[in-house]
């Protein structure tokens, strides 16, 4: 573990100790080390690993050794953004006189930002009636969660995607879910959620996400778009409908509409959309069987837009529970016990 501060371009002397499984030091062991550098991100996998140095040396009589490494800068240093950093790795292999080899790895992360933020639980399209809890996660360079106060700000965006006025703000704890109730009163449109925080040394970190806020009652797309689609519900129930919202900001859009169950076509129709959103509701019917596939499509300016949605009927829970019950007539000494097995369905009721 490195106790002193370091940054890119520094030279470090890393000290280690090699011991046998018995605890005795490895004397005169052969030490082979390699230094690599790779690009890393808080929320993604590493990429572009490159070997910077390698070498060999020997352990001293007490099993200690020292490796000198330089955290070289990339030839073409490119900013990796708010969620990226460089990851230097020192790998050491120690082989004793008997040929037994031990291995150790030390990771040295270096970056402009010590903390990465990510917004979790926020979809690109948010219906006010379906607004759910979200959270901001914070990780350090060792990929470990940290607790921070996070400042959240919601901005309106114009048609060009430029940030306009602030319409909501709050301070939340990282890693803890929160529900922005005030969003339910905002107008339909395009917004930007920006979250910022500072580490223990005051260095800033940030993340952002665009979203479209709307209402299920909207009958005009909340933003200018050739194709609008939103799905409310996933399973075909007899009472609770699944609703598919299909629309366009364009005029005179000829929408082709089909419903299939297996290989059977149940519905084939067409509609004309004029700067509108049209809802399609589905509840389970006997002719739907185990489920249906709903298909929408239209041509606009030489481009074919299509959407297919598979809706399944929920499979009933078939788990059975076996329960033994015993009865003994305590008023008649010497009588035998009567054992009865009860079979219960998933609802706890006797199975037929």
């Amino acid at each position: 573990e490195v106790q002193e501060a370091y940054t890119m371009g520094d030279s470090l002397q890393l000290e280690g100790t090699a011991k046998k499984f018995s605890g005795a030091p490895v004397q005169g062991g052969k030490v082979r080390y390699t230094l690599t550098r790779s690009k890393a991100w808080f929320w993604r996998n590493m990429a572009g690993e490159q070997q910077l140095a390698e070498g060999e040396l020997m352990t001293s009589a007490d099993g200690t050794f020292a490796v000198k490494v330089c955290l070289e800068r990339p030839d073409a240093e490119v900013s990796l953004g708010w969620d990226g950093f460089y990851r230097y790795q020192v790998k050491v292999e120690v082989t004793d006189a008997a040929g037994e080899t031990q291995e150790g790895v030390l990771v040295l992360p270096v970056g402009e930002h010590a903390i990465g933020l990510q917004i979790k639980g926020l979809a690109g399209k948010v219906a006010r009636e379906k607004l759910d809890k979200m959270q901001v996660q914070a990780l350090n360079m060792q990929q470990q969660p940290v607790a921070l106060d996070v400042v959240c700000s919601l901005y309106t965006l114009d048609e060009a995607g430029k940030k306009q006025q602030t319409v909501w703000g709050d301070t939340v704890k990282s890693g803890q879910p929160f529900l922005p109730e005030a969003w339910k009163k905002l107008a339909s449109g395009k917004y930007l959620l920006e979250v910022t925080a500072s580490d223990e040394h005051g260095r800033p970190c940030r993340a952002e996400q665009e979203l479209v806020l709307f209402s299920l009652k909207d009958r005009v797309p909340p933003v200018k778009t050739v194709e609008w689609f939103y799905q409310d519900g996933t399973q075909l129930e007899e009472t609770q409908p699944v609703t598919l919202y299909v629309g366009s900001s364009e005029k005179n859009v000829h929408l082709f509409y089909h419903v299939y169950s297996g290989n059977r076509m149940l519905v084939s129709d067409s509609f004309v959309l004029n700067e509108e959103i049209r809802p399609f509701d589905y509840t389970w019917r006997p002719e739907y069987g185990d489920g249906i596939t709903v298909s929408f499509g239209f041509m606009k300016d030489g481009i074919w837009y299509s959407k297919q949605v598979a809706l399944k009927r929920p499979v009933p829970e078939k788990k059975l529970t076996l329960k033994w019950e015993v009865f003994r007539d305590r008023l008649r000494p010497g009588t035998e016990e009567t054992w009865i097995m009860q079979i219960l369905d998933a609802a706890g009721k006797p199975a037929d």
Side-chain angles (χ1 to χ4, degrees):
E1 182 177 351
V2 179
Q3 301 293 340
E4 299 180 358
Y6 62 89
T7 187
M8 191 177 297
D10 287 354
S11 294
L12 304 177
Q13 177 166 299
L14 307 176
E15 298 178 352
T17 302
K19 295 182 179 181
K20 299 179 180 179
F21 293 111
S22 63
V26 177
Q27 299 177 342
K30 181 180 179 181
V31 180
R32 185 179 186 278
Y33 68 90
T34 57
L35 172 66
T36 59
R37 180 186 62 223
S38 57
K39 299 175 183 177
W41 291 267
F42 293 101
W43 313 103
R44 288 179 281 167
N45 294 328
M46 296 180 297
E49 184 176 81
Q50 179 183 0
Q51 182 171 309
L52 303 179
E54 63 178 346
E56 293 183 356
L57 46 92
M58 304 292 288
T59 61
S60 59
D62 59 357
T64 60
F65 60 91
V67 176
K68 294 183 179 180
V69 297
C70 178
L71 307 183
E72 297 179 13
R73 294 179 177 273
D75 294 335
E77 188 175 342
V78 178
S79 174
L80 301 180
W82 285 93
D83 64 341
F85 56 95
Y86 287 95
R87 182 179 186 270
Y88 293 84
Q89 177 177 287
V90 182
K91 182 178 178 180
V92 175
E93 295 180 346
V94 180
T95 304
D96 62 16
E100 295 183 355
T101 300
Q102 301 180 48
E103 181 180 296
V105 174
L106 177 65
V107 175
L108 303 168
V110 179
E112 299 177 21
H113 314 288
I115 301 293
L117 300 179
Q118 185 181 47
I119 302 167
K120 301 286 287 186
L122 180 61
K125 293 177 181 176
V126 179
R128 291 193 289 271
E129 297 87 343
K130 300 289 182 177
L131 184 63
D132 202 357
K133 291 183 178 180
M134 63 194 75
Q135 63 176 283
V136 180
Q137 293 184 344
L139 294 183
N140 60 20
M141 291 186 185
Q142 300 294 347
Q143 309 288 307
Q144 298 299 313
V146 293
L148 295 174
D149 290 329
V150 181
V151 178
C152 304
S153 302
L154 188 70
Y155 301 89
T156 56
L157 296 178
D158 60 18
E159 290 189 2
K162 293 184 178 181
K163 193 165 59 175
Q164 302 298 303
Q165 65 181 17
T166 307
V167 292
W168 172 84
D170 198 1
T171 300
V172 302
K173 298 290 186 180
S174 63
Q176 297 185 10
F178 65 95
L179 182 64
E181 290 282 356
W183 290 18
K184 297 179 180 180
K185 298 180 181 180
L186 297 176
S188 298
K190 196 171 186 178
Y191 294 84
L192 174 73
L193 176 61
E194 183 180 271
V195 297
T196 60
S198 299
D199 65 13
E200 57 184 359
H201 301 293
R203 292 172 294 191
C205 51
R206 66 185 293 272
E208 62 183 29
Q209 180 178 333
E210 292 186 3
L211 64 134
V212 175
L213 189 64
F214 69 101
S215 170
L216 298 178
K217 298 178 182 178
D218 289 347
R219 290 299 171 260
V220 176
V223 293
K224 188 171 180 59
T225 177
V226 177
E227 179 188 36
W228 174 265
F229 179 83
Y230 182 80
Q231 180 175 344
D232 181 17
T234 57
Q235 293 187 324
L236 284 173
E237 306 276 1
E238 294 186 24
T239 55
Q240 184 68 27
V242 175
T243 304
L244 306 180
Y245 298 84
V246 181
S248 175
S249 301
E250 303 291 328
K251 294 182 178 180
N252 199 31
V253 173
H254 292 266
L255 177 68
F256 297 95
Y257 166 62
H258 301 89
V259 179
Y260 302 88
S261 178
N263 296 324
R264 296 180 298 119
M265 180 185 291
L266 304 179
V267 179
S268 178
D269 208 341
S270 63
F271 306 91
V272 176
L273 300 176
N274 283 294
E275 300 176 306
E276 63 179 293
I277 297 175
R278 183 169 296 196
F280 295 82
D281 295 325
Y282 306 92
T283 53
W284 184 82
R285 302 175 185 177
E287 60 266 31
Y288 288 173
D290 293 333
I292 58 175
T293 299
V294 184
S295 174
F296 301 95
F298 64 86
M299 182 76 74
K300 189 65 179 177
D301 297 330
I303 301 175
W304 175 253
Y305 298 87
S306 63
K307 187 72 177 181
Q308 275 196 345
V309 181
L311 303 176
K312 300 295 184 181
R313 186 185 185 191
V315 179
E317 179 62 62
K318 296 182 179 181
K319 180 180 178 181
L320 298 178
T321 302
L322 305 182
K323 180 180 179 182
W324 283 101
E325 292 185 353
V326 60
F327 173 75
R328 176 188 294 172
D329 190 347
R330 298 183 183 276
L331 299 178
R332 299 172 59 190
T335 57
E336 296 181 350
E337 295 177 342
T338 301
W339 289 79
I340 300 175
M341 176 183 285
Q342 200 173 22
I343 303 177
L344 307 176
D345 61 18
K349 298 179 180 180
D352 295 333

